[in-house]
């Protein structure tokens, strides 16, 4: 009997094996009666199913049946107890009827079970729930009887369904695998016999094995952790033969499944070998037949890009057909290699022979395709280079025939650069054409007939003549263009020089303007002492030398411009306003430079005289500084201060000051400070001389008296 057949009845929990045991190690069967009328037929079916689970050894220890009558009537309890006599009289050791707190009427319970022990075959006792522990340990009782044994009926039922399903599927699968493996062994013995049992098992072995392992793991976990981890204790333990049975089925199933896998591998290998042989012959027959015939009819290379492209397209169609068979070859080669790695001695010779035959044919055909593809690619590149070179020569010739009328030096320089680039590009293209033509000629000379093995001179002569003719024609056209380029280059170089001279002359004017601007705005310091003034004067002379060189350079460029215009017969071009601008700027620079030199020389004279006065020490010398020296210093200083307030007047009447007013004020302030120091020095000297005057007079009187005495 299977649980699935009576699943609705089992779900009602009319009776259950909780996994608890009595003091004799007998299993405890619990019949929880409810207030509703109990269906005795369903109870009988439930008991029959539950009693079919334990082993005979377990049944021999007897059952203790707990009939929970606390929610039921006495007559139902009595009926159930009497029914046990018919269902399991021999296996029952003790029946404990749990009575309600309010005991049944004595008249009702007048029937004494203990008097009927011999007739019933087992002992029946009436006991209240709180005294049930006298007969059964509390740890073996469920919580409804005050015990600590955990039991979940739905969980037990689900696990029971899994166990029965695994048992059924594994048993059926074992029979099928044994049948398949046995017939395969007979087929290997008699190779002439056809395979009649080439069918698949009804169940997936991997799935059944996984289910069994999960079930076994669950049973083992419940055995060792059930009482501590709070998981329901199920009677499907080793005493009910669940674990041993699952383990035995798993071992048998693994053994048969391993044999079945080997059977499948042998079947697959034989089938694969037959398919490989058939496919190899298909590939070889097509490549040596239609494939070779397609290549035998293709020889030409075309006389233009369009023709070569048409031939390439035709060859791509041929390659496309071959690629399908080459893909089959690759797949077959991988399959053969896999079978060779398997190492079956009986198939090695045949597999190697098939592999060698297939490889020879495919490599020979692939080499022919590659040679033809390379030849067509070279022809297409040759025609492409020839067409591009022809277009470049046409463009270069048109450029040489056009008049040259550039707007400036940059334009003529760009035109010359463009012309040189075009000529260089033509030269590179011609060299590439000759190299590609030689490669193509070498390939044509090596081309042989794949059909008969003879040279194909007749087919190649026309192609060779065409290639050589194209190269000679391009060489002549390029030589004519080179001669014209030489003439045009000379004229354009002279024009570039003309524009360059004009640009450089204008640049010289700009440089002079910048030098003049720098002289007026930045060359404003006169020096804090004589040494610095001398250094500034020397730097200014070098600055003037740079300006003189720039002016001379501009004059030379303008003279060269006149000469180039005469050489090119370009009477419309002249120096324009560049020469007047150059002369005007130079005159302004000369006036400004002279004013700068005059100021620096005055500053040098002033600082030299001032430093001489300030460095004199009257205590160490007997002679004093002449008062005229002080007057000269003051005169030069005032003149220099007046000079700083005067602007530079250019020849055209315009005026310009050195630096900003603040810069001039700073320089004047320094000069005034020096003049103050000189004035203070002069005053000190005058005071000292006034103090020394009486001593001098007394000394003179004593000298006179001495002379009179003598």
């Amino acid at each position: 009997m299977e649980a699935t057949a009576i699943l609705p009845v089992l779900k009602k929990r009319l009776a259950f094996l909780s996994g608890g045991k009595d003091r004799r190690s007998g299993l405890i069967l619990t019949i929880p009666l409810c207030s509703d009328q109990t269906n005795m037929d369903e109870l009988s079916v439930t008991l029959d199913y539950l009693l079919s689970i334990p082993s005979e050894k377990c049944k021999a220890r007897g059952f203790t049946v707990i009939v929970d009558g606390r929610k039921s009537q006495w007559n139902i309890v009595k009926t159930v107890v009497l029914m046990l006599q018919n269902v399991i009289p021999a296996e029952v050791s003790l029946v404990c009827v749990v009575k309600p707190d309010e005991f049944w009427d004595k008249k009702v319970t007048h029937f004494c079970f203990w008097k009927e022990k011999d007739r019933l075959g087992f002992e029946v006792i009436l006991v209240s729930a709180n005294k049930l522990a006298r007969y059964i340990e509390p740890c073996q009782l469920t919580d409804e009887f005050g015990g600590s044994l955990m039991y979940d009926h739905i969980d037990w039922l689900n696990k029971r369904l899994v166990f029965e399903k695994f048992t059924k599927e594994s048993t059926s699968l074992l029979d099928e695998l044994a049948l398949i493996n046995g017939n395969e062994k007979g087929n290997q013995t008699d190779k002439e016999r056809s395979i009649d049992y080439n069918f698949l098992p009804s169940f997936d072995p991997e799935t059944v094995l996984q289910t069994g392992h999960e079930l076994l793991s669950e049973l083992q976990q419940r055995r060792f952790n059930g009482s501590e981890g709070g998981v329901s204790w199920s009677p499907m333990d080793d005493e009910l033969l669940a674990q041993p049975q699952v383990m035995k089925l798993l071992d048998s199933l693994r053994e048969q499944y391993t044999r079945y896998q080997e059977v499948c591998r042998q079947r697959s290998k034989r089938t694969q070998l037959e398919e490989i042989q058939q496919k190899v012959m298909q590939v070889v027959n097509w490549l040596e037949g239609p494939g070779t015939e397609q290549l035998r009819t293709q020889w030409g290379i075309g006389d233009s890009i369009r023709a070569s492209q048409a031939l390439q397209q035709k060859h791509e169609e041929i390659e496309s057909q071959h690629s399908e068979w080459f893909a089959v070859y690759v797949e077959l080669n991988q399959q053969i290699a896999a079978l060779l790695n398997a190492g079956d001695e009986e198939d090695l010779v045949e597999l190697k022979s098939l592999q060698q035959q297939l490889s020879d044919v495919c490599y020979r055909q692939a080499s022919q395709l590659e040679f033809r593809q390379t030849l067509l690619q070279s022809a297409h590149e040759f025609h492409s280079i020839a067409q591009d070179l022809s277009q470049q020569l046409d463009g270069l010739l048109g450029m040489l025939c056009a008049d040259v009328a550039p707007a400036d030096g940059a334009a003529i320089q760009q035109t010359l650069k463009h012309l040189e680039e075009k000529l260089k590009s033509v030269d590179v293209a011609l060299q590439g054409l000759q190299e590609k033509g030689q490669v193509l000629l070498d390939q044509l000379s090596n081309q042989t007939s794949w059909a008969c093995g003879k040279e194909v001179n007749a087919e190649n002569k026309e192609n060779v003549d065409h290639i050589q003719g194209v190269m000679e024609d391009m060489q002549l056209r390029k030589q004519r263009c080179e001669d014209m380029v030489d003439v045009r280059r000379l004229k354009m170089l002279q024009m570039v020089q003309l524009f360059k001279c004009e640009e450089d002359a204008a640049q010289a004017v700009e440089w002079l303007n910048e030098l003049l601007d720098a002289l007026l705005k930045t060359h404003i310091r006169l020096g804090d002492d004589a040494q610095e003034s001398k250094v500034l004067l020397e730097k200014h002379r070098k600055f003037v030398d740079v300006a003189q060189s720039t002016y001379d350079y501009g004059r030379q460029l303008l003279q060269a411009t006149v000469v180039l215009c005469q050489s090119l017969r370009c009477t419309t071009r002249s120096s324009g306003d560049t020469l007047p601008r150059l002369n005007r700027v130079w005159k302004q620079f000369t006036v400004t430079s002279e004013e700068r030199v005059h100021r620096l020389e005055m500053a040098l004279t002033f600082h030299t005289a001032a430093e001489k006065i300030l460095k004199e020490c009257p205590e160490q010398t007997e002679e004093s500084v002449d008062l005229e020296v002080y007057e000269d210093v003051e005169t030069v200083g005032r003149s220099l201060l007046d000079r700083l307030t005067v602007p530079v007047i250019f020849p055209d009447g315009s005026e310009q000051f050195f630096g900003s007013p603040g810069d001039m004020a700073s320089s004047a302030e320094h000069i005034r400070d020096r003049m103050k120091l000189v004035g203070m020095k002069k005053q000190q000297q005058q005071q000292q001389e006034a103090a020394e005057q009486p001593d001098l007079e007394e000394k003179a009187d004593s000298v006179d008296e001495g002379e009179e005495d003598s």
Side-chain angles (χ1 to χ4, degrees), residues 539-555:
K539 288 184 178 179
H540 178 72
R541 291 192 179 98
K542 295 180 180 179
F543 184 75
V544 172
D545 292 340
V546 173
Q548 181 68 50
S549 300
T550 304
Y551 172 72
D552 295 340
Y553 177 64
R555 295 280 298 183

Side-chain angles (χ1 to χ4, degrees), residues 260-500:
Y260 173 71
Q261 287 178 319
E262 179 62 23
V263 167
C264 292
R265 192 186 69 82
Q266 294 294 336
R267 284 183 185 176
S268 176
K269 189 184 71 173
R270 288 196 301 270
T271 304
Q272 189 177 10
L273 183 59
E274 294 174 357
E275 292 177 354
I276 288 175
Q277 291 174 342
Q278 183 180 2
K279 290 181 179 179
V280 166
M281 295 312 300
Q282 290 178 352
V283 173
V284 170
N285 292 336
W286 190 90
L287 292 179
E288 291 182 343
T292 302
E293 186 63 27
Q294 287 178 349
L295 290 175
R296 189 181 294 116
T297 58
Q298 299 294 315
W299 298 107
I301 62 171
D303 56 359
S304 63
I305 292 181
R306 181 176 298 179
S308 63
Q309 287 177 342
L311 290 173
Q312 280 185 319
Q313 184 176 0
K314 178 63 177 177
H315 184 73
E316 287 175 358
E317 295 175 359
I318 296 175
E319 279 188 333
S320 178
Q321 297 179 20
H322 279 75
S323 63
E324 298 177 0
W325 293 97
F326 287 154
V328 177
Y329 158 71
V330 172
E331 181 181 357
L332 288 174
N333 199 37
Q334 293 176 350
Q335 294 177 1
I336 293 174
L339 292 177
L340 289 174
N341 291 332
D344 294 336
E345 296 293 337
E346 58 183 10
D347 300 329
L348 286 179
V349 177
E350 184 178 0
L351 285 172
K352 288 183 178 179
S353 175
L354 287 173
Q355 188 180 41
Q356 187 64 40
Q357 180 184 8
L358 184 63
S359 298
D360 292 343
V361 174
C362 289
Y363 278 121
R364 182 171 61 251
Q365 199 75 358
S367 299
Q368 295 175 1
L369 285 170
E370 184 179 4
F371 178 84
R372 176 63 179 169
Q373 176 63 30
T374 304
L375 183 66
L376 291 176
Q377 183 64 32
S378 299
H380 181 270
E381 292 176 358
F382 175 80
H383 292 127
S384 177
I385 295 174
Q387 179 176 319
D388 181 65
L389 178 58
S390 179
Q391 293 175 354
Q392 291 186 35
L393 289 170
D394 292 340
L396 181 59
L397 184 61
M399 185 177 178
L400 293 171
C401 293
D403 294 333
V404 180
D408 52 23
I412 194 68
Q413 188 70 33
Q414 185 65 27
T415 304
L416 180 60
K417 181 181 179 182
H418 186 52
L419 184 64
E420 295 290 347
E421 289 176 351
K422 276 188 168 293
L423 184 61
K424 184 178 180 181
S425 177
V426 167
D427 187 64
V428 172
L430 180 60
Q431 184 178 359
L433 180 69
Q434 293 173 344
E435 293 176 356
K436 184 56 66 176
Q438 187 60 47
V439 171
L440 189 56
L441 290 174
D442 294 340
Q443 291 176 344
L444 289 173
S445 65
N446 295 329
Q447 187 176 11
T448 56
S449 173
W450 297 313
C452 302
K454 64 180 181 179
E455 296 183 356
V456 285
N457 295 328
E459 291 82 357
N460 286 341
K461 186 177 185 305
E462 182 178 353
N463 295 329
V464 171
D465 293 342
H466 171 70
I467 294 169
Q468 293 176 344
V470 170
M471 291 192 295
E472 292 174 358
D473 179 61
M474 293 299 172
Q475 180 65 40
L476 291 175
R477 291 177 61 186
K478 187 246 184 183
Q479 186 63 46
R480 288 195 297 268
C481 287
E482 280 184 342
D483 296 339
M484 297 178 67
V485 166
D486 292 338
V487 177
R488 178 60 62 89
R489 184 188 295 112
L490 179 60
K491 182 177 180 180
M492 295 181 74
L493 287 175
Q494 289 180 342
M495 296 184 70
V496 168
Q497 291 178 354
L498 174 61
F499 284 117
K500 182 63 176 174

